[in-house]
Amino acid sequence: MKAFVTSLCAVIAVLMLSVSAGAQITIHSGDLAGVGTTWTVGDAGIFNPVSFDVGSAGSGQTWNFGEYEWESAAQFTVMNPSDAPHHDVF
């Protein structure tokens, strides 16, 4: 009986592992920033720990970190691929 239960558990485990659920997000052009869009990314650094009250879980939240003094920041701008250096290589 013990061997039967062990074998049954093994079969169930194999069946559960062989059935996989998959999901894939879909990204459309409207989900991306447009040409000319600029944004800044701030870095708090590893020696300047930061904590924020992010509020409760759920949708419809807006976080504003504009007044925080970042250790460093980088600005990024989306550019037209034909204006990028070496665009003809791709």
Side-chain angles (χ1 to χ4, degrees), residues 29 32-39 77-83:
S29 60
L32 305 174
V35 173
T37 303
T38 300
W39 70 94
T77 302
V78 178
M79 65 187 312
N80 191 328
S82 63
D83 295 335

Side-chain angles (χ1 to χ4, degrees), residues 10-40:
V11 168
I12 291 172
V14 168
L15 288 174
M16 289 177 66
L17 290 174
S18 66
V19 177
S20 63
Q24 182 169 343
I25 63 169
T26 304
I27 300 174
H28 301 282
S29 60
D31 298 324
L32 305 174
V35 173
T37 303
T38 300
W39 70 94
T40 303

